[in-house]
Amino acid sequence: RRGARAAMRALWALLGALRAAWCLLPQAGYLHPDEFFQAPEVMAGDILNLQVYYPWEFLSGSPCRTVVFPLMTSGVAYWVIKSLQQLDLCSSCVNSYTLLVLPRLLFTVFSFVLDYSVYRLAPFWGADPWKALVLLAGSYVTLVFYTRTLTNALEGLLLALLMVLVSPGKSDGSLVQPASSPLIGIVTTAGFFNRPTFLAFALMPLLYWAGSVVTSQKSIKTAVHHFLKLVLCACFTAIVFVTADTIYFTSMGLDNLYSIRESPFDVIAQLHEKMVATPLNFLSYNLNPHNLALHGSHPRVTHFAVNGIMLFGILHILAMGDGFKILKKYIQQLIWVTPNHHDLSGLLAHSEGNSTLLLFYFVPLAFLSLFSHQEPRFLIPLILPLVLFSASQNRAVKWKPVIVIFNILGALLFGCLHQGGLIPCLFHLEQLMHSPESSIHPRNYTLLFAHTYMPPRSLLNIKKSDTHIEVIDMAGSKEETLCQTVEQQADNFTCNDCHVFVIIPGTVRTTLRKCGVSFKNETLIFPHLSMEDPPQIHFLFSGNWRSQLGLYILQVGRHQ
């Protein structure tokens, strides 16, 4: 048994090292634009004074995202490299690699909060800590999603902290009561400001904690005292977030904030008039079905039937099966109890640990399924209760080969292939535009992206004062619009040192041949898989398969 446990520890350490190493490599896969445009892109513009694209959630009209967490994560990372550069300790610290990797590295370090939480919680929920840790660390969700700058990853980390705080610990074989209510209030409020959907994840842990407080306290006065402390700390935390967001969004950026010359009293008066509550704006926007439809509408069962399986594979299916069994059992008990007039109280009050973990998993899943816009990343916080449930009673052991193959394929798909050419493409263009030749003789560059995810402009490392570089994002433009724009760029060369590049997936490469434009150079970046423009299967078995799984950088020739 000791040998098996030592092997599990070694395997977890290996998987943890892989998590850190793959972050530094770095991962080329591009999960979703939000991994850049909800923190790094905004902070790169504010702190490093780079040309960036500010998303609508951060516009001062009705901002929907708090600035606190971007400042604490990407903001801190960028402030460090800016300070090193200003102190002449690292003259070339700011480049596409550091801009990408440093914020990710911070999230990767934070991701080990999940591992700590599993180790703490596993004994209480009847799971072997090291088996649960291996299950967690080996999941591609942990390797890929939790090492990216996503608000969903922060949501998962805050849920992990909340579950640790509300669950009793074990000391010398006896249960220790959950942590004090102030910390629970702070974490819950912070989670709400990060993403208001956190309340769906926090509901069951908070109810579990409330039940523990009520049953463990001998007087109502003591229980009320716990709840009051939670509410007061939650309110104080909310005030801190609202104040920080109001200061940031009324000055609109850190640069403007530093330049304020008014008296403190005038500033306070203005802040009171222009108070910003980002979660309320978030809810106001997302509770409007028309707004959600702009981002894509999905059937209400998508989370249950597709996204859960896509993220967690057989673990989600096993949880669904056990959930149906327990639900059937409770319904049978309810039917049997009612005719015999037995007391219904306590029927569900003292549920088994497995049942409680399933509630921690399925209640948020059900709440999120009420909304028509359903993306897989919304469910990544659920990995913690699912891992604890799957590791208890060795449910996952017999499915070990399936779990291993599933996570290898998931890691390759989302960590390498999915939009995997775009980040290396930006690295390549950044090096080209900052080459010694370009520094001596400034050149004009026009970068036209089509049928790719939104390119994070910060990775091009262009100063706001640099007017020689233009980025055009054509998203999924139709053939006619794309050709018209490319032809217009080819006709409008205004100097000898003007360079126009078109960045497009190989699956759409043939479209440009119809545009009547010549290309001087072609650079193919492999691999790149676009699910919006997927390769045709028969091409993958031809000599042209690399082109179908690649991203092209095409330099437009001058029209004579």
Side-chain angles (χ1 to χ4, degrees), residues 155 159 192 195-205 359-368 371 382:
E155 191 172 35
L159 176 63
F192 176 65
R195 287 184 66 87
T197 52
F198 183 76
L199 293 184
F201 297 99
L203 176 62
M204 290 311 301
L359 288 174
F360 281 24
Y361 183 73
F362 282 116
V363 168
L365 201 56
F367 270 108
L368 294 176
F371 298 93
L382 295 176

Side-chain angles (χ1 to χ4, degrees), residues 23 72-74 76-77 101-111:
C23 168
M72 291 171 61
T73 53
S74 300
V76 169
V101 169
L102 282 183
R104 283 186 178 182
L105 184 60
L106 206 57
F107 270 71
T108 301
V109 172
F110 290 159
S111 73

Side-chain angles (χ1 to χ4, degrees), residues 211-532:
S212 300
V213 168
V214 170
T215 54
S216 64
Q217 301 302 325
K218 295 181 180 179
S219 66
I220 296 178
K221 183 179 178 181
T222 309
V224 170
H225 182 64
H226 278 286
F227 290 116
L228 281 176
K229 285 196 292 184
L230 184 148
V231 172
L232 287 173
C233 287
C235 290
F236 175 76
T237 307
I239 291 170
V240 171
F241 274 87
V242 169
T243 303
D245 288 338
T246 303
I247 291 172
Y248 177 84
F249 287 110
T250 52
S251 61
M252 198 46 212
L254 298 177
D255 292 338
N256 294 330
L257 178 60
Y258 297 143
S259 63
I260 290 176
R261 294 290 182 267
E262 298 174 353
S263 71
F265 297 104
D266 291 335
V267 172
I268 292 171
Q270 290 181 24
L271 294 180
H272 180 70
E273 292 175 4
K274 302 176 181 178
M275 189 173 294
V276 175
T278 53
L280 299 183
N281 294 335
F282 179 97
L283 291 171
S284 174
Y285 181 89
N286 285 281
L287 290 175
N288 185 334
H290 175 70
N291 291 336
L292 288 183
L294 296 175
H295 302 274
S297 295
H298 308 95
R300 293 296 196 276
V301 297
T302 302
H303 278 326
F304 280 95
V306 179
N307 294 340
I309 298 173
M310 187 186 301
L311 289 174
F312 309 121
I314 192 66
L315 301 185
H316 176 77
I317 296 171
L318 292 175
M320 290 278 287
D322 284 347
F324 280 121
K325 288 177 185 176
I326 293 173
L327 184 62
K328 180 181 176 182
K329 170 186 166 185
Y330 282 148
I331 291 173
Q332 288 174 343
Q333 286 181 332
L334 196 64
I335 293 171
W336 182 84
V337 167
T338 305
N340 292 278
H341 306 288
H342 285 281
D343 184 13
L344 284 172
S345 64
L347 183 63
L348 300 177
H350 302 288
S351 60
E352 300 172 0
N354 291 337
S355 305
T356 306
L357 282 173
L358 281 177
L359 288 174
F360 281 24
Y361 183 73
F362 282 116
V363 168
L365 201 56
F367 270 108
L368 294 176
S369 297
L370 297 176
F371 298 93
S372 61
H373 182 58
Q374 302 185 15
E375 296 181 30
R377 63 191 174 94
F378 296 165
L379 303 184
I380 66 172
L382 295 176
I383 190 171
L384 182 59
L386 183 61
V387 161
L388 291 171
F389 175 78
S390 302
S392 62
Q393 299 180 13
N394 293 322
R395 286 183 177 83
V397 171
K398 68 169 90 173
W399 298 98
K400 191 184 300 182
V402 175
I403 293 170
V404 170
I405 294 170
F406 171 79
N407 284 302
I408 290 173
L409 293 176
L412 289 174
L413 175 60
F414 292 103
C416 299
L417 287 172
H418 188 255
Q419 293 285 327
L422 190 55
I423 302 303
C425 164
L426 294 171
F427 279 27
H428 174 80
L429 292 171
E430 190 253 358
Q431 291 175 356
L432 177 68
M433 294 185 297
H434 293 83
S435 63
E437 295 83 1
S438 296
S439 301
I440 298 170
H441 303 289
R443 300 171 178 177
N444 290 285
Y445 290 95
T446 300
L447 311 176
L448 195 153
F449 293 83
H451 293 264
T452 68
Y453 274 6
M454 226 168 29
R457 290 150 175 80
S458 59
L459 296 186
L460 293 169
N461 191 20
I462 311 166
K463 290 293 183 183
K464 287 180 179 178
S465 57
D466 190 345
T467 58
H468 296 92
I469 301 170
E470 181 186 13
V471 177
I472 303 173
D473 180 16
M474 300 204 61
S477 300
K478 294 182 179 179
E479 180 180 320
E480 181 182 351
T481 307
L482 178 59
C483 280
Q484 184 179 357
T485 306
V486 173
E487 289 171 2
Q488 186 179 18
Q489 292 294 329
D491 290 334
N492 289 344
F493 276 93
T494 56
C495 61
N496 291 325
D497 284 327
C498 292
H499 301 274
V500 178
F501 292 93
V502 179
I503 296 92
I504 195 165
T507 50
V508 195
R509 172 71 176 86
T510 53
T511 300
L512 291 181
R513 294 196 178 100
K514 305 174 186 177
C515 297
V517 176
S518 62
F519 296 100
K520 293 195 293 185
N521 297 304
E522 289 189 4
T523 302
L524 176 64
I525 296 178
F526 176 88
H528 178 91
L529 175 63
S530 172
M531 301 304 290
E532 289 72 24

